Amino acid sequence: MMDFIRTPLRFVFDRAERGLALVFPPEWNPLLNLGALGFFFYWIITASGIYVYAFFDTGVTQAYDSIEYMTRDQWYAAGVMRSLHRYASDGLIVVMLLHFIREFALDRYRGVRWFSWITGVPVLIMVYVAGITGYWLVWDRLAQYVAIVTTEWLDHLPIFGEPIARNFLSPDALESRFFSLMVFMHIAIPLIALILLWMHLQRVSKPRINPPRGLAIGVMASLLVLSLVHPALSQGPADLAKVPGSIGLDWFYLPLYPILENWPGPVTWSGAGVILVLFCSIPWLPPMRKTQVAEVNLENCNGCTRCANDCPYNAISMRVRSDGLPFESEAVVDPSMCVSCGICVGACPTATPFRRASDLVAGIDLPDGTVADLRQEVEKICQPFKGKNRILMFGCNHGVSMSGLKQDNVRTVSMRCIGQLPPSFIDYVLSKKLADGVVLTGCSENGCHARFGTRWTDARIARERDPQLRRRVPRERLRVVWAGRAGRGKLDTLLRAFTDDLSALPAEKPPVHKASDRKKLMELADG
Amino acid sequence: MVRLLQFAGQGIIYAAAACLIGYFATAPVYKQFPEGKAQIKLSFAHGANRTKACRRLTSKEIAKLPPNERRPNTCERKRVNVQVQLDVDGTRLLDISLKPIGLAGDGPARIYRKFAVEPGTHMVIARLRDSRSTEGFDYETRREIFLSAGQNMAIDFKADAGGFIFR
Ligand code: HEM
Ligand code: SF4
Ligand code: SF4
C-alpha cells in the first residue's frame, strides 16, 4: 500500500535529481543537501532575527511602527535583514518539506531509522508555530488575521473559560500580554527546535549540516537579490475596528488558515489529530521487515576500528577487549541503531575472499548475507562465464535495477549497498580471471541510500581510505559509475564503452600469486 | 564552456526558486471577507443564575455536615442556560440557548459569532435572559448603528456594565 505512494514519489525525486545534476556538480545538488540547507536557513534566520530584534519594539502598539522604520528608513540594512528573515523562513519550509517527503519516498524512515523520523515530526510542527508567531509580531492586517483565526481555532477546544479570540474583539479589548507571549514563543520555540534537531542527528554519523560552499553562496546570493528586489513589507497596521478583508497570505506557512477559518472546529481538530497520529505512526505502517543486524565475530576482529569509522549510523563502538586476544579493542554493534547496510563488512580487513573457503568468516558480517555467501555467489555467477570482454558488475538494491540488462557479456551481483563490497573482491575477480572487467555501480554520486556507501567505495579505490584497493589491480579493467535509479542510460553507455575498451586491451598474462602475497593475506586473515 | 553553461543553469534554478518564494510569500491574495460588507461580532462569556436559589440550611442539616464544612447556606452549582437573540432590521440573525461550560455546568456560557451585513444604517436589537424564568428577557438593548464597508463592530455583554456593550 505504502509502496503505491512511495514509488511515484521516488520516481519524481529521481528525475528531479538527475535534472539538477545537469547543472549542479554532485556535491552541490540541492536535492542531496536538503537537511544541510535546512540548517543553513536556520542560521540565516537566527542571525537576521537577532539583528531585527534590536530595532523591534515589543509593545503591541509600537511594534508596527518599529518595523515600518526598519523597512522604510533603514531599508538598506534592517530592511534587508527583515527580508532575509522572512525569505529564509520560507526557504526553510520548502527544504524541510522536501526533506520530509524525500526520506519517506526513499523508505528511510522505518526500522531503526524511526528515531530520526520521530524527532523530525515535532521539529516540523515547531517550525510552523515559529513562523505563525513571527507573522503575529508585525501587528499588521495579516497579523490581525493570523491572531483572529488562531485564537478562534484554539477556542474550539473547551479549555479556555473565556474565548481567547475575545482579545481581538475590538480595539479597546486589545491587551499586550498576549502579544508578549507571542514574542516569547517566537524566540523560545526555535530554540527548542534546535535542541530537537540535535537529537534528530544522534543516529547518523558525520551528519551533513553545512551545505558545500558553492551551494551556500548560491543560496545566500539569491536570498539577497530577492530581498533587495522584492523586500518584505507589512500590510497596513492592524485595526480591530475593521475586518482584515483581502490579505496577502504567506502560502508556505499559512496555507491551512483559510481551512481553519471556514471549516467546522470538530472537523479541523480531528483532521489535525489524524494527521499527527499518522505522522507519528508511519514508521510502523507497516513495520520494516526485520533484517539481521551486523554481528562481530571476535576471533576474527583485530580491533582496527575501520568498521566503526565507516558505519554511517553510529552503530559501532570500540570497547575494551573482552576475549583475552592481544588487541587493544573490539568492535561492538548496537542492534538498535544498525540498518544492516553492510558498509562495515566492506571496511573489515578480514573480509577478504582470498582466504581459504573453510575459514572465510569476517570480523564483522551480516548473518543473512555473509562475505562467504557473496564469494559463493560471485563464483556461481562466473562459472561458467565464457566469451570475450566478460564484465562482472557489482550493484546495489537501491541503484538502477540490474535485471533486463541487454549486454550478453555482463553478469551482475546485487548487494545491500555497494559499500558492502570489500575492495579485495575486485582483486579476486580479476586475478582469478573470473571476469575480464569489473564495474561497480550504485546510488547516484553523493546520494547513497546508506549515506556513505558510494563515498567510501570511491575513497577505498582511490587508496585514500582503508581498506585500499591493492596497487596491482589493473585500473583499466575497473569502472565505477554512480548511476542512481534513474541512470539506466548512463549505465548502458558505460557498459558499451567499457566493452570496447576491454577488447582493445592486450590479452592478460595468467595470474601470478607471489608467495609473499599469500603470506600477507594469511596473516591478515589470521587477524 | 560547459562550466559556464552549468553556472548559467544554476543561475536559472536559483532565480526560479527565488521567484517562487518571493511570489508565494504574499500572493495570491486571499479574500478573507466578502468585499463591500461589514461585520457584526457577538461575543461574551457570562455566568447565568443558578438553577435553584440559595437557601438557608436547617440546623439539623448543618449538624450533619463535617465540622470544617459547616455553613449557613447551600447553593446549587449548576447554572441555567443563557438565552440570546439578535435582530437586525427586524430579521432574527440569532436565537440560541447557550449551555454553561464546565463538567458540573457551573461555568459561564460562551458565545463568539460573526455576521456579515450590508454597510449602512441598521436597527439592532440584542436580548438576553439569564434568570430562571422561561420567557421574556432580562436584558434588551436597541441601537441604531451605522457601519461602513469593512467595518467590524463588536457586541459584548457585561452584566456589571448594565448589559450589552456596542463597540
Ligand atoms: C528543520 C528541519 C530539519 C532539518 C534541518 C533536518 C536535518 C537533517 C539532517 C542534516 C539529516 C542528516 C542527513 C545526512 O547527513 O545524511 C537528517 C536526516 C533525517 N531526517 Fe531530518 N531534518 C529536518 C526535519 C525533518 C523532518 C520533519 C523529518 C520527518 C518527519 C525528518 C526526517 C529525517 C530522517 C528520517 C533522517 C534520516 C535519514 C537516514 O536515516 O539516512 N527530518 N535530517
Ligand atoms: S550494517 Fe551498516 S549500520 Fe549496521 S553496523 Fe554495519 S555499517 Fe553500521
Ligand atoms: S573492521 Fe573488522 S577487524 Fe576492524 S574493528 Fe571492525 S570488525 Fe574488527
Side-chain angles (χ1 to χ4, degrees), chain A residues 130-182:
Chain A
I132 289 163
T133 52
Y135 274 113
W136 201 306
L137 300 191
V138 183
W139 207 237
D140 61 349
R141 284 172 45 244
L142 173 60
Q144 180 184 347
Y145 173 73
V146 168
I148 290 174
V149 177
T150 310
T151 50
E152 285 176 358
W153 192 57
L154 291 174
D155 280 334
H156 289 303
L157 291 181
I159 49 175
F160 305 104
E162 185 161 327
I164 49 173
R166 285 173 46 75
N167 283 299
F168 309 102
L169 207 52
S170 61
D172 55 349
L174 187 65
E175 278 190 51
S176 55
R177 75 192 153 106
F178 221 92
F179 196 74
S180 309
L181 177 67
M182 290 305 126

Side-chain angles (χ1 to χ4, degrees), chain A residues 104-126:
Chain A
F104 170 76
L106 297 190
D107 200 356
R108 288 206 294 201
Y109 61 100
R110 297 189 295 156
V112 300
R113 284 172 165 114
W114 69 270
F115 182 86
S116 301
W117 180 270
I118 289 297
T119 49
V121 173
V123 173
L124 180 83
I125 297 169
M126 284 184 188

Side-chain angles (χ1 to χ4, degrees), chain A residues 20 22-25 28 86-87 90-91 94 135 145 148 152 155 157-158 160-163 165-166 168-170 172-173 214-215 218-219 222 226 230 235 240-252 258 261-262, chain B residues 3 5-10 13-15 17-33 35 37-39 41-45 101 108 110-112 114 149-158 167:
Chain A
L20 288 171
L22 294 176
V23 295
F24 286 94
W28 292 10
R86 176 183 291 185
Y87 292 137
D90 290 331
V94 174
Y135 274 113
Y145 173 73
I148 290 174
E152 285 176 358
D155 280 334
L157 291 181
F160 305 104
E162 185 161 327
R166 285 173 46 75
F168 309 102
L169 207 52
S170 61
D172 55 349
L215 181 62
V219 169
S222 16
L226 176 61
H230 186 63
Q235 305 189 21
L240 295 176
K242 296 213 181 84
V243 285
S246 295
I247 33 186
L249 281 193
D250 181 322
W251 293 96
F252 298 101
E261 182 189 5
N262 293 310
Chain B
R3 250 186 108 61
L5 275 179
Q6 279 204 334
F7 276 120
Q10 290 174 22
I13 304 275
Y14 285 128
C19 288
L20 189 103
I21 287 188
Y23 180 75
F24 286 105
T26 50
V29 163
Y30 171 61
K31 290 202 178 49
Q32 182 258 341
F33 190 76
E35 223 146 300
K37 292 242 180 181
Q39 176 168 274
K41 228 184 230 184
L42 173 72
S43 173
F44 58 78
I101 61 166
R110 315 184 308 173
I111 187 167
Y112 183 93
K114 300 186 282 191
Q151 194 177 340
N152 171 51
M153 196 204 55
I155 304 177
D156 199 350
F157 179 87
K158 289 224 159 59
R167 50 190 196 189

Side-chain angles (χ1 to χ4, degrees), chain A residues 274-308:
Chain A
V274 168
I275 291 175
L276 182 65
V277 169
L278 186 72
F279 280 5
C280 289
S281 50
I282 211 164
W284 296 276
L285 292 177
M288 192 167 246
R289 199 169 46 84
K290 267 239 177 313
T291 44
Q292 286 180 296
V293 301
E295 262 177 24
V296 175
N297 308 294
L298 263 192
E299 59 275 28
N300 282 286
C301 168
N302 62 22
C304 71
T305 73
R306 289 177 190 174
C307 56

Side-chain angles (χ1 to χ4, degrees), chain A residues 294 310-313 315-316 333 337-344 364 366:
Chain A
D310 281 8
C311 171
Y313 292 95
I316 304 177
V333 176
M337 294 172 75
C338 171
V339 304
S340 314
C341 63
I343 289 179
C344 49
I364 191 163
L366 294 177

